[in-house]
Amino acid sequence: MRYGSITLALLYLFASNSFAALEVINSEEKRRLTQIEDQFDIDALLISVNNKFTQHNKKAFDIEELVEQIESEKQSYDLLITDLPKKILAKDNMPQVYKQIESTVNKIDQLETRSIEESAALEAENAEILAEYNAINTKRTAQSKQLFKLKTDITNRLIGDLSKSSSSLPVNINGSTECSKYQSITDCLKESKSFILTNTRNESPFLNDKSVLLSYEVMDANMNMNGNLNYTVAMKFKPSYNNKIDQLLNERLGLNSAMITLVSNVPADWFVNGVKIGTGKELFHEIPLGKHGILASYQSKDKSSVENIEGNGVFNYTFDLSGSALTKSNSKSSSGVTESAKGEIKQKPKAKYTLMADQKTIKETKQPEAKKSLSERGYEYFMGVTPSNKKQNFEFTNEPVEK
């Protein structure tokens, strides 16, 4: 017999007469989930505070430039004072010299006053932004409590239903496989039974490799002259609560985390929900599923977006070093927002839900990281990914392989 892939053309999952249907989340629980999602919708809040944080970073950079300008004026003043004795002895246009010194002193005073005022305003704005992030975190905390309560209720219902002695899971499968054309239908089906059972257990969240098979019956089978076998099998299992159900609940309720990769063509400062998580061209960051504000900052340029994290993904922010705005791309098709030509954030429909978020920090200035060679940073792009062929092995490791 030669094995082919079994196509599960039709998979019926239904329960015995003890209850209507086996569902991980029933209609009432879906209604409660939608209600929680609507009650704690934070999309507008995240977009607003993320935009404020972008402007806040620009103001912080302007103050840094102002401080540099003050230092430059002080150096000019020191130079004027150093040259003053020579000017006095030479009697070289002294009124103009004194006027220049006076102008420099006044300019330094004006710049320092402006710096103090703008720094105080920035601190006040920082407190306001922090308060908004805290308000979002408070909503997330309340949302998480309700989601965990919903998960507990779902789990208790499932355990109660599945633990009943009368509970069973009938599964009818229409499938096909390839047999030797010299083999009988009965022999081919016997050899395929283990494969059919394994695939059935893998397909259903209510079954695992330890699930008890209550009955197994071939309802119909036919094979053509080429050995292609089509069959209908009726099975019945004893369902149970297992890790697959728990993982599925976590995914649907947004109680899982994901690993995101942040990529840029420059050593940008990266912020998630207002918290600086690092500086560099590539960063890995674990984050709860749901809506999160992501910001990339490089020199005086910032770009932010609100992303709906539903799984691992790569977010690419490319800065145009010629002086124009940067562009941003996302390898995940389920991004929470889109961007217009002017960089405005527009909301996509359908919110997801999140857990706790972090606190906010003010933008820091760090030195750019040294450029890494391709071989040094290869692992950062393909961490944990096994090459499937020689070409991928070369791309992942930059090392030739033996042919």
mmCIF file of all heavy atoms in Angstrom, residues 47-64 118-133 271 274-275 295-297 299-304 360-365:
data_model
loop_
_atom_site.group_PDB
_atom_site.id
_atom_site.type_symbol
_atom_site.label_atom_id
_atom_site.label_comp_id
_atom_site.label_asym_id
_atom_site.label_seq_id
_atom_site.Cartn_x
_atom_site.Cartn_y
_atom_site.Cartn_z
ATOM 1 N N ILE A 47 -5.361 55.623 19.935
ATOM 2 C CA ILE A 47 -4.965 56.463 18.796
ATOM 3 C C ILE A 47 -4.665 57.877 19.261
ATOM 4 O O ILE A 47 -3.656 58.481 18.885
ATOM 5 C CB ILE A 47 -6.068 56.462 17.723
ATOM 6 C CG1 ILE A 47 -6.165 55.073 17.089
ATOM 7 C CG2 ILE A 47 -5.786 57.507 16.649
ATOM 8 C CD1 ILE A 47 -7.340 54.920 16.146
ATOM 9 N N SER A 48 -5.530 58.422 20.119
ATOM 10 C CA SER A 48 -5.357 59.787 20.609
ATOM 11 C C SER A 48 -4.071 59.950 21.412
ATOM 12 O O SER A 48 -3.261 60.850 21.156
ATOM 13 C CB SER A 48 -6.565 60.186 21.463
ATOM 14 O OG SER A 48 -6.365 61.457 22.051
ATOM 15 N N VAL A 49 -3.863 59.075 22.398
ATOM 16 C CA VAL A 49 -2.686 59.226 23.253
ATOM 17 C C VAL A 49 -1.408 58.901 22.494
ATOM 18 O O VAL A 49 -0.348 59.484 22.751
ATOM 19 C CB VAL A 49 -2.817 58.336 24.515
ATOM 20 C CG1 VAL A 49 -2.668 56.871 24.173
ATOM 21 C CG2 VAL A 49 -1.801 58.744 25.571
ATOM 22 N N ASN A 50 -1.482 57.989 21.514
ATOM 23 C CA ASN A 50 -0.296 57.687 20.725
ATOM 24 C C ASN A 50 0.124 58.873 19.871
ATOM 25 O O ASN A 50 1.317 59.168 19.709
ATOM 26 C CB ASN A 50 -0.564 56.467 19.841
ATOM 27 C CG ASN A 50 0.629 55.537 19.764
ATOM 28 O OD1 ASN A 50 1.312 55.321 20.754
ATOM 29 N ND2 ASN A 50 0.875 54.984 18.595
ATOM 30 N N ASN A 51 -0.868 59.584 19.309
ATOM 31 C CA ASN A 51 -0.562 60.789 18.543
ATOM 32 C C ASN A 51 0.020 61.881 19.435
ATOM 33 O O ASN A 51 0.949 62.600 19.046
ATOM 34 C CB ASN A 51 -1.818 61.297 17.841
ATOM 35 C CG ASN A 51 -2.235 60.399 16.679
ATOM 36 O OD1 ASN A 51 -1.421 59.653 16.150
ATOM 37 N ND2 ASN A 51 -3.498 60.460 16.298
ATOM 38 N N LYS A 52 -0.528 62.018 20.651
ATOM 39 C CA LYS A 52 0.019 63.001 21.597
ATOM 40 C C LYS A 52 1.459 62.657 21.963
ATOM 41 O O LYS A 52 2.308 63.543 22.112
ATOM 42 C CB LYS A 52 -0.844 63.048 22.862
ATOM 43 C CG LYS A 52 -2.207 63.686 22.671
ATOM 44 C CD LYS A 52 -2.984 63.688 23.982
ATOM 45 C CE LYS A 52 -4.368 64.295 23.787
ATOM 46 N NZ LYS A 52 -5.161 64.283 25.039
ATOM 47 N N PHE A 53 1.724 61.373 22.114
ATOM 48 C CA PHE A 53 3.069 60.954 22.475
ATOM 49 C C PHE A 53 4.057 61.248 21.351
ATOM 50 O O PHE A 53 5.220 61.600 21.595
ATOM 51 C CB PHE A 53 3.056 59.463 22.818
ATOM 52 C CG PHE A 53 4.353 58.961 23.382
ATOM 53 C CD1 PHE A 53 4.962 59.607 24.447
ATOM 54 C CD2 PHE A 53 4.962 57.841 22.856
ATOM 55 C CE1 PHE A 53 6.146 59.154 24.974
ATOM 56 C CE2 PHE A 53 6.158 57.370 23.377
ATOM 57 C CZ PHE A 53 6.745 58.024 24.439
ATOM 58 N N THR A 54 3.598 61.112 20.100
ATOM 59 C CA THR A 54 4.439 61.468 18.957
ATOM 60 C C THR A 54 4.838 62.933 19.007
ATOM 61 O O THR A 54 6.012 63.293 18.840
ATOM 62 C CB THR A 54 3.701 61.166 17.640
ATOM 63 O OG1 THR A 54 3.408 59.771 17.568
ATOM 64 C CG2 THR A 54 4.541 61.557 16.437
ATOM 65 N N GLN A 55 3.849 63.814 19.220
ATOM 66 C CA GLN A 55 4.128 65.244 19.321
ATOM 67 C C GLN A 55 5.005 65.553 20.534
ATOM 68 O O GLN A 55 5.869 66.438 20.486
ATOM 69 C CB GLN A 55 2.809 66.019 19.404
ATOM 70 C CG GLN A 55 1.921 65.885 18.184
ATOM 71 C CD GLN A 55 2.619 66.359 16.915
ATOM 72 O OE1 GLN A 55 3.315 67.374 16.906
ATOM 73 N NE2 GLN A 55 2.442 65.603 15.825
ATOM 74 N N HIS A 56 4.794 64.822 21.627
ATOM 75 C CA HIS A 56 5.594 65.022 22.834
ATOM 76 C C HIS A 56 7.063 64.725 22.562
ATOM 77 O O HIS A 56 7.959 65.475 23.007
ATOM 78 C CB HIS A 56 5.062 64.100 23.945
ATOM 79 C CG HIS A 56 5.814 64.199 25.234
ATOM 80 N ND1 HIS A 56 5.546 65.164 26.177
ATOM 81 C CD2 HIS A 56 6.822 63.451 25.738
ATOM 82 C CE1 HIS A 56 6.359 65.012 27.200
ATOM 83 N NE2 HIS A 56 7.145 63.980 26.966
ATOM 84 N N ASN A 57 7.336 63.671 21.830
ATOM 85 C CA ASN A 57 8.721 63.334 21.492
ATOM 86 C C ASN A 57 9.364 64.407 20.620
ATOM 87 O O ASN A 57 10.553 64.711 20.766
ATOM 88 C CB ASN A 57 8.763 61.986 20.777
ATOM 89 C CG ASN A 57 8.840 60.829 21.751
ATOM 90 O OD1 ASN A 57 9.135 61.020 22.924
ATOM 91 N ND2 ASN A 57 8.558 59.634 21.284
ATOM 92 N N LYS A 58 8.597 64.977 19.704
ATOM 93 C CA LYS A 58 9.126 66.046 18.852
ATOM 94 C C LYS A 58 9.477 67.268 19.682
ATOM 95 O O LYS A 58 10.503 67.922 19.466
ATOM 96 C CB LYS A 58 8.105 66.407 17.776
ATOM 97 C CG LYS A 58 7.921 65.314 16.724
ATOM 98 C CD LYS A 58 6.904 65.719 15.671
ATOM 99 C CE LYS A 58 6.751 64.634 14.619
ATOM 100 N NZ LYS A 58 5.736 64.985 13.595
ATOM 101 N N LYS A 59 8.629 67.596 20.662
ATOM 102 C CA LYS A 59 8.918 68.747 21.534
ATOM 103 C C LYS A 59 10.168 68.490 22.376
ATOM 104 O O LYS A 59 10.966 69.398 22.614
ATOM 105 C CB LYS A 59 7.723 69.025 22.440
ATOM 106 C CG LYS A 59 6.491 69.533 21.703
ATOM 107 C CD LYS A 59 5.314 69.699 22.649
ATOM 108 C CE LYS A 59 4.071 70.141 21.899
ATOM 109 N NZ LYS A 59 2.894 70.248 22.798
ATOM 110 N N ALA A 60 10.324 67.261 22.843
ATOM 111 C CA ALA A 60 11.516 66.909 23.628
ATOM 112 C C ALA A 60 12.777 67.071 22.778
ATOM 113 O O ALA A 60 13.809 67.557 23.262
ATOM 114 C CB ALA A 60 11.404 65.485 24.150
ATOM 115 N N PHE A 61 12.699 66.692 21.518
ATOM 116 C CA PHE A 61 13.847 66.853 20.628
ATOM 117 C C PHE A 61 14.124 68.337 20.372
ATOM 118 O O PHE A 61 15.282 68.755 20.305
ATOM 119 C CB PHE A 61 13.585 66.140 19.304
ATOM 120 C CG PHE A 61 14.775 66.108 18.380
ATOM 121 C CD1 PHE A 61 15.766 65.144 18.536
ATOM 122 C CD2 PHE A 61 14.905 67.039 17.362
ATOM 123 C CE1 PHE A 61 16.872 65.120 17.690
ATOM 124 C CE2 PHE A 61 15.999 67.018 16.523
ATOM 125 C CZ PHE A 61 16.993 66.060 16.681
ATOM 126 N N ASP A 62 13.064 69.157 20.249
ATOM 127 C CA ASP A 62 13.243 70.602 20.062
ATOM 128 C C ASP A 62 13.951 71.222 21.262
ATOM 129 O O ASP A 62 14.790 72.127 21.105
ATOM 130 C CB ASP A 62 11.883 71.278 19.858
ATOM 131 C CG ASP A 62 11.248 70.912 18.519
ATOM 132 O OD1 ASP A 62 11.993 70.445 17.629
ATOM 133 O OD2 ASP A 62 10.023 71.068 18.372
ATOM 134 N N ILE A 63 13.625 70.763 22.465
ATOM 135 C CA ILE A 63 14.283 71.288 23.661
ATOM 136 C C ILE A 63 15.756 70.884 23.677
ATOM 137 O O ILE A 63 16.624 71.669 24.091
ATOM 138 C CB ILE A 63 13.561 70.799 24.936
ATOM 139 C CG1 ILE A 63 12.176 71.445 25.029
ATOM 140 C CG2 ILE A 63 14.375 71.109 26.187
ATOM 141 C CD1 ILE A 63 11.363 70.999 26.217
ATOM 142 N N GLU A 64 16.061 69.666 23.215
ATOM 143 C CA GLU A 64 17.459 69.256 23.115
ATOM 144 C C GLU A 64 18.223 70.178 22.174
ATOM 145 O O GLU A 64 19.364 70.567 22.455
ATOM 146 C CB GLU A 64 17.537 67.813 22.623
ATOM 147 C CG GLU A 64 17.057 66.772 23.629
ATOM 148 C CD GLU A 64 17.102 65.361 23.070
ATOM 149 O OE1 GLU A 64 17.614 65.212 21.939
ATOM 150 O OE2 GLU A 64 16.653 64.430 23.749
ATOM 151 N N GLU A 118 9.544 75.906 28.346
ATOM 152 C CA GLU A 118 9.152 74.778 27.513
ATOM 153 C C GLU A 118 9.379 73.442 28.235
ATOM 154 O O GLU A 118 8.599 72.492 28.052
ATOM 155 C CB GLU A 118 9.912 74.806 26.188
ATOM 156 C CG GLU A 118 9.497 75.964 25.294
ATOM 157 C CD GLU A 118 10.132 75.902 23.925
ATOM 158 O OE1 GLU A 118 10.842 74.900 23.639
ATOM 159 O OE2 GLU A 118 9.920 76.846 23.129
ATOM 160 N N SER A 119 10.424 73.351 29.057
ATOM 161 C CA SER A 119 10.662 72.134 29.832
ATOM 162 C C SER A 119 9.555 71.911 30.855
ATOM 163 O O SER A 119 9.101 70.777 31.064
ATOM 164 C CB SER A 119 12.023 72.215 30.539
ATOM 165 O OG SER A 119 13.078 72.252 29.596
ATOM 166 N N ALA A 120 9.111 73.012 31.486
ATOM 167 C CA ALA A 120 8.017 72.892 32.454
ATOM 168 C C ALA A 120 6.727 72.457 31.760
ATOM 169 O O ALA A 120 5.975 71.617 32.269
ATOM 170 C CB ALA A 120 7.812 74.225 33.171
ATOM 171 N N ALA A 121 6.475 73.045 30.569
ATOM 172 C CA ALA A 121 5.281 72.660 29.811
ATOM 173 C C ALA A 121 5.368 71.200 29.371
ATOM 174 O O ALA A 121 4.364 70.469 29.383
ATOM 175 C CB ALA A 121 5.117 73.570 28.590
ATOM 176 N N LEU A 122 6.576 70.753 29.026
ATOM 177 C CA LEU A 122 6.758 69.365 28.602
ATOM 178 C C LEU A 122 6.512 68.407 29.763
ATOM 179 O O LEU A 122 5.926 67.339 29.583
ATOM 180 C CB LEU A 122 8.175 69.182 28.050
ATOM 181 C CG LEU A 122 8.435 67.880 27.279
ATOM 182 C CD1 LEU A 122 7.672 67.880 25.965
ATOM 183 C CD2 LEU A 122 9.929 67.708 27.017
ATOM 184 N N GLU A 123 6.953 68.793 30.955
ATOM 185 C CA GLU A 123 6.709 67.959 32.140
ATOM 186 C C GLU A 123 5.211 67.843 32.421
ATOM 187 O O GLU A 123 4.715 66.774 32.758
ATOM 188 C CB GLU A 123 7.437 68.552 33.347
ATOM 189 C CG GLU A 123 8.934 68.306 33.354
ATOM 190 C CD GLU A 123 9.277 66.831 33.462
ATOM 191 O OE1 GLU A 123 8.563 66.107 34.184
ATOM 192 O OE2 GLU A 123 10.245 66.410 32.814
ATOM 193 N N ALA A 124 4.507 68.976 32.295
ATOM 194 C CA ALA A 124 3.056 68.953 32.519
ATOM 195 C C ALA A 124 2.370 68.074 31.481
ATOM 196 O O ALA A 124 1.453 67.300 31.794
ATOM 197 C CB ALA A 124 2.499 70.372 32.478
ATOM 198 N N GLU A 125 2.804 68.196 30.237
ATOM 199 C CA GLU A 125 2.229 67.366 29.167
ATOM 200 C C GLU A 125 2.554 65.896 29.399
ATOM 201 O O GLU A 125 1.714 65.013 29.151
ATOM 202 C CB GLU A 125 2.787 67.819 27.821
ATOM 203 C CG GLU A 125 2.175 67.099 26.630
ATOM 204 C CD GLU A 125 2.760 67.564 25.320
ATOM 205 O OE1 GLU A 125 3.894 67.144 24.999
ATOM 206 O OE2 GLU A 125 2.101 68.362 24.625
ATOM 207 N N ASN A 126 3.746 65.623 29.899
ATOM 208 C CA ASN A 126 4.135 64.251 30.208
ATOM 209 C C ASN A 126 3.209 63.649 31.259
ATOM 210 O O ASN A 126 2.807 62.490 31.162
ATOM 211 C CB ASN A 126 5.580 64.228 30.696
ATOM 212 C CG ASN A 126 6.018 62.845 31.137
ATOM 213 O OD1 ASN A 126 6.014 61.918 30.349
ATOM 214 N ND2 ASN A 126 6.389 62.695 32.400
ATOM 215 N N ALA A 127 2.864 64.445 32.271
ATOM 216 C CA ALA A 127 1.960 63.971 33.321
ATOM 217 C C ALA A 127 0.574 63.663 32.748
ATOM 218 O O ALA A 127 -0.067 62.679 33.126
ATOM 219 C CB ALA A 127 1.861 65.011 34.434
ATOM 220 N N GLU A 128 0.110 64.504 31.817
ATOM 221 C CA GLU A 128 -1.198 64.284 31.190
ATOM 222 C C GLU A 128 -1.196 62.998 30.357
ATOM 223 O O GLU A 128 -2.146 62.205 30.412
ATOM 224 C CB GLU A 128 -1.560 65.475 30.309
ATOM 225 C CG GLU A 128 -1.825 66.775 31.090
ATOM 226 C CD GLU A 128 -2.117 67.938 30.160
ATOM 227 O OE1 GLU A 128 -2.131 67.722 28.924
ATOM 228 O OE2 GLU A 128 -2.318 69.064 30.666
ATOM 229 N N ILE A 129 -0.121 62.802 29.580
ATOM 230 C CA ILE A 129 -0.031 61.591 28.754
ATOM 231 C C ILE A 129 0.038 60.349 29.635
ATOM 232 O O ILE A 129 -0.614 59.331 29.358
ATOM 233 C CB ILE A 129 1.196 61.675 27.825
ATOM 234 C CG1 ILE A 129 0.993 62.784 26.786
ATOM 235 C CG2 ILE A 129 1.449 60.340 27.131
ATOM 236 C CD1 ILE A 129 2.200 63.036 25.898
ATOM 237 N N LEU A 130 0.804 60.433 30.720
ATOM 238 C CA LEU A 130 0.901 59.315 31.649
ATOM 239 C C LEU A 130 -0.454 58.989 32.256
ATOM 240 O O LEU A 130 -0.816 57.817 32.400
ATOM 241 C CB LEU A 130 1.903 59.642 32.753
ATOM 242 C CG LEU A 130 2.111 58.570 33.827
ATOM 243 C CD1 LEU A 130 2.585 57.266 33.203
ATOM 244 C CD2 LEU A 130 3.087 59.043 34.885
ATOM 245 N N ALA A 131 -1.227 60.046 32.577
ATOM 246 C CA ALA A 131 -2.565 59.825 33.146
ATOM 247 C C ALA A 131 -3.471 59.130 32.133
ATOM 248 O O ALA A 131 -4.277 58.264 32.500
ATOM 249 C CB ALA A 131 -3.171 61.162 33.571
ATOM 250 N N GLU A 132 -3.339 59.474 30.849
ATOM 251 C CA GLU A 132 -4.157 58.834 29.819
ATOM 252 C C GLU A 132 -3.763 57.374 29.647
ATOM 253 O O GLU A 132 -4.629 56.500 29.486
ATOM 254 C CB GLU A 132 -4.020 59.592 28.492
ATOM 255 C CG GLU A 132 -4.660 60.980 28.509
ATOM 256 C CD GLU A 132 -4.696 61.604 27.130
ATOM 257 O OE1 GLU A 132 -4.961 60.871 26.154
ATOM 258 O OE2 GLU A 132 -4.458 62.822 27.029
ATOM 259 N N TYR A 133 -2.458 57.085 29.671
ATOM 260 C CA TYR A 133 -2.022 55.690 29.592
ATOM 261 C C TYR A 133 -2.515 54.907 30.803
ATOM 262 O O TYR A 133 -2.910 53.737 30.689
ATOM 263 C CB TYR A 133 -0.500 55.599 29.501
ATOM 264 C CG TYR A 133 0.040 55.706 28.099
ATOM 265 C CD1 TYR A 133 0.832 56.780 27.704
ATOM 266 C CD2 TYR A 133 -0.231 54.729 27.148
ATOM 267 C CE1 TYR A 133 1.332 56.884 26.418
ATOM 268 C CE2 TYR A 133 0.259 54.816 25.860
ATOM 269 C CZ TYR A 133 1.040 55.903 25.502
ATOM 270 O OH TYR A 133 1.521 55.995 24.217
ATOM 271 N N PHE A 271 9.053 52.426 21.066
ATOM 272 C CA PHE A 271 8.136 52.588 22.189
ATOM 273 C C PHE A 271 6.893 51.736 21.935
ATOM 274 O O PHE A 271 6.357 51.732 20.828
ATOM 275 C CB PHE A 271 7.719 54.047 22.364
ATOM 276 C CG PHE A 271 8.859 54.995 22.653
ATOM 277 C CD1 PHE A 271 9.652 55.491 21.631
ATOM 278 C CD2 PHE A 271 9.130 55.381 23.955
ATOM 279 C CE1 PHE A 271 10.699 56.361 21.885
ATOM 280 C CE2 PHE A 271 10.174 56.252 24.228
ATOM 281 C CZ PHE A 271 10.962 56.732 23.194
ATOM 282 N N GLY A 274 3.807 53.686 24.981
ATOM 283 C CA GLY A 274 4.488 54.759 25.688
ATOM 284 C C GLY A 274 5.731 54.339 26.424
ATOM 285 O O GLY A 274 6.411 55.172 27.012
ATOM 286 N N VAL A 275 6.060 53.054 26.426
ATOM 287 C CA VAL A 275 7.233 52.557 27.145
ATOM 288 C C VAL A 275 8.363 52.285 26.153
ATOM 289 O O VAL A 275 8.176 51.545 25.189
ATOM 290 C CB VAL A 275 6.899 51.270 27.921
ATOM 291 C CG1 VAL A 275 8.146 50.725 28.622
ATOM 292 C CG2 VAL A 275 5.814 51.547 28.931
ATOM 293 N N LEU A 295 5.493 53.048 18.394
ATOM 294 C CA LEU A 295 6.091 54.283 17.897
ATOM 295 C C LEU A 295 7.570 54.057 17.636
ATOM 296 O O LEU A 295 8.277 53.481 18.461
ATOM 297 C CB LEU A 295 5.899 55.421 18.904
ATOM 298 C CG LEU A 295 6.428 56.800 18.488
ATOM 299 C CD1 LEU A 295 5.483 57.889 18.965
ATOM 300 C CD2 LEU A 295 7.821 57.060 19.045
ATOM 301 N N ALA A 296 8.019 54.510 16.459
ATOM 302 C CA ALA A 296 9.443 54.498 16.117
ATOM 303 C C ALA A 296 9.915 55.938 16.055
ATOM 304 O O ALA A 296 9.262 56.783 15.451
ATOM 305 C CB ALA A 296 9.672 53.804 14.772
ATOM 306 N N SER A 297 11.056 56.238 16.691
ATOM 307 C CA SER A 297 11.571 57.599 16.745
ATOM 308 C C SER A 297 13.033 57.608 16.339
ATOM 309 O O SER A 297 13.835 56.814 16.843
ATOM 310 C CB SER A 297 11.410 58.169 18.163
ATOM 311 O OG SER A 297 11.954 59.476 18.240
ATOM 312 N N GLN A 299 15.943 60.654 15.569
ATOM 313 C CA GLN A 299 16.275 62.071 15.531
ATOM 314 C C GLN A 299 14.988 62.889 15.701
ATOM 315 O O GLN A 299 14.290 62.744 16.671
ATOM 316 C CB GLN A 299 17.034 62.387 14.245
ATOM 317 C CG GLN A 299 18.390 61.681 14.168
ATOM 318 C CD GLN A 299 19.155 61.984 12.901
ATOM 319 O OE1 GLN A 299 18.659 62.649 11.983
ATOM 320 N NE2 GLN A 299 20.383 61.479 12.828
ATOM 321 N N SER A 300 14.637 63.725 14.756
ATOM 322 C CA SER A 300 13.432 64.546 14.924
ATOM 323 C C SER A 300 12.206 63.936 14.258
ATOM 324 O O SER A 300 11.149 64.568 14.214
ATOM 325 C CB SER A 300 13.683 65.946 14.330
ATOM 326 O OG SER A 300 13.966 65.864 12.947
ATOM 327 N N LYS A 301 12.326 62.700 13.760
ATOM 328 C CA LYS A 301 11.217 62.078 13.039
ATOM 329 C C LYS A 301 10.583 60.994 13.894
ATOM 330 O O LYS A 301 11.278 60.198 14.523
ATOM 331 C CB LYS A 301 11.698 61.476 11.715
ATOM 332 C CG LYS A 301 12.326 62.490 10.768
ATOM 333 C CD LYS A 301 12.880 61.803 9.544
ATOM 334 C CE LYS A 301 13.586 62.791 8.616
ATOM 335 N NZ LYS A 301 14.192 62.125 7.451
ATOM 336 N N ASP A 302 9.264 60.959 13.905
ATOM 337 C CA ASP A 302 8.513 59.943 14.628
ATOM 338 C C ASP A 302 7.418 59.397 13.726
ATOM 339 O O ASP A 302 6.936 60.082 12.827
ATOM 340 C CB ASP A 302 7.850 60.516 15.884
ATOM 341 C CG ASP A 302 8.865 60.888 16.953
ATOM 342 O OD1 ASP A 302 9.898 60.199 17.041
ATOM 343 O OD2 ASP A 302 8.639 61.867 17.683
ATOM 344 N N LYS A 303 7.037 58.159 13.979
ATOM 345 C CA LYS A 303 5.884 57.572 13.307
ATOM 346 C C LYS A 303 5.209 56.622 14.271
ATOM 347 O O LYS A 303 5.879 55.811 14.908
ATOM 348 C CB LYS A 303 6.315 56.817 12.052
ATOM 349 C CG LYS A 303 5.165 56.395 11.170
ATOM 350 C CD LYS A 303 4.445 57.575 10.568
ATOM 351 C CE LYS A 303 3.396 57.128 9.581
ATOM 352 N NZ LYS A 303 2.726 58.269 8.948
ATOM 353 N N SER A 304 3.896 56.722 14.395
ATOM 354 C CA SER A 304 3.187 55.847 15.329
ATOM 355 C C SER A 304 1.992 55.209 14.638
ATOM 356 O O SER A 304 1.466 55.735 13.661
ATOM 357 C CB SER A 304 2.720 56.647 16.549
ATOM 358 O OG SER A 304 1.738 57.598 16.169
ATOM 359 N N LYS A 360 4.514 54.555 30.981
ATOM 360 C CA LYS A 360 5.111 55.388 29.952
ATOM 361 C C LYS A 360 6.411 55.985 30.436
ATOM 362 O O LYS A 360 6.569 56.320 31.591
ATOM 363 C CB LYS A 360 4.146 56.510 29.582
ATOM 364 C CG LYS A 360 4.751 57.488 28.589
ATOM 365 C CD LYS A 360 3.910 58.704 28.478
ATOM 366 C CE LYS A 360 4.683 59.765 27.721
ATOM 367 N NZ LYS A 360 5.864 60.189 28.402
ATOM 368 N N THR A 361 7.377 56.147 29.538
ATOM 369 C CA THR A 361 8.613 56.818 29.872
ATOM 370 C C THR A 361 8.882 57.889 28.839
ATOM 371 O O THR A 361 8.377 57.846 27.723
ATOM 372 C CB THR A 361 9.800 55.833 29.883
ATOM 373 O OG1 THR A 361 9.881 55.210 28.600
ATOM 374 C CG2 THR A 361 9.612 54.778 30.957
ATOM 375 N N ILE A 362 9.711 58.875 29.207
ATOM 376 C CA ILE A 362 10.058 59.948 28.290
ATOM 377 C C ILE A 362 11.164 59.468 27.358
ATOM 378 O O ILE A 362 12.013 58.679 27.735
ATOM 379 C CB ILE A 362 10.516 61.202 29.066
ATOM 380 C CG1 ILE A 362 9.385 61.667 29.984
ATOM 381 C CG2 ILE A 362 10.917 62.321 28.129
ATOM 382 C CD1 ILE A 362 9.736 62.856 30.808
ATOM 383 N N LYS A 363 11.157 59.973 26.168
ATOM 384 C CA LYS A 363 12.130 59.608 25.152
ATOM 385 C C LYS A 363 13.542 59.901 25.642
ATOM 386 O O LYS A 363 13.824 60.944 26.189
ATOM 387 C CB LYS A 363 11.832 60.406 23.878
ATOM 388 C CG LYS A 363 12.894 60.307 22.802
ATOM 389 C CD LYS A 363 12.460 61.158 21.640
ATOM 390 C CE LYS A 363 13.562 61.255 20.600
ATOM 391 N NZ LYS A 363 14.696 62.030 21.023
ATOM 392 N N GLU A 364 14.454 58.941 25.440
ATOM 393 C CA GLU A 364 15.844 59.116 25.787
ATOM 394 C C GLU A 364 16.662 59.172 24.506
ATOM 395 O O GLU A 364 16.275 58.668 23.466
ATOM 396 C CB GLU A 364 16.336 57.955 26.658
ATOM 397 C CG GLU A 364 15.587 57.866 27.991
ATOM 398 C CD GLU A 364 16.039 56.645 28.768
ATOM 399 O OE1 GLU A 364 16.882 55.908 28.235
ATOM 400 O OE2 GLU A 364 15.543 56.453 29.886
ATOM 401 N N THR A 365 17.846 59.778 24.621
ATOM 402 C CA THR A 365 18.732 59.861 23.479
ATOM 403 C C THR A 365 19.851 58.863 23.652
ATOM 404 O O THR A 365 20.531 58.861 24.668
ATOM 405 C CB THR A 365 19.316 61.277 23.347
ATOM 406 O OG1 THR A 365 18.241 62.199 23.243
ATOM 407 C CG2 THR A 365 20.208 61.377 22.125
#
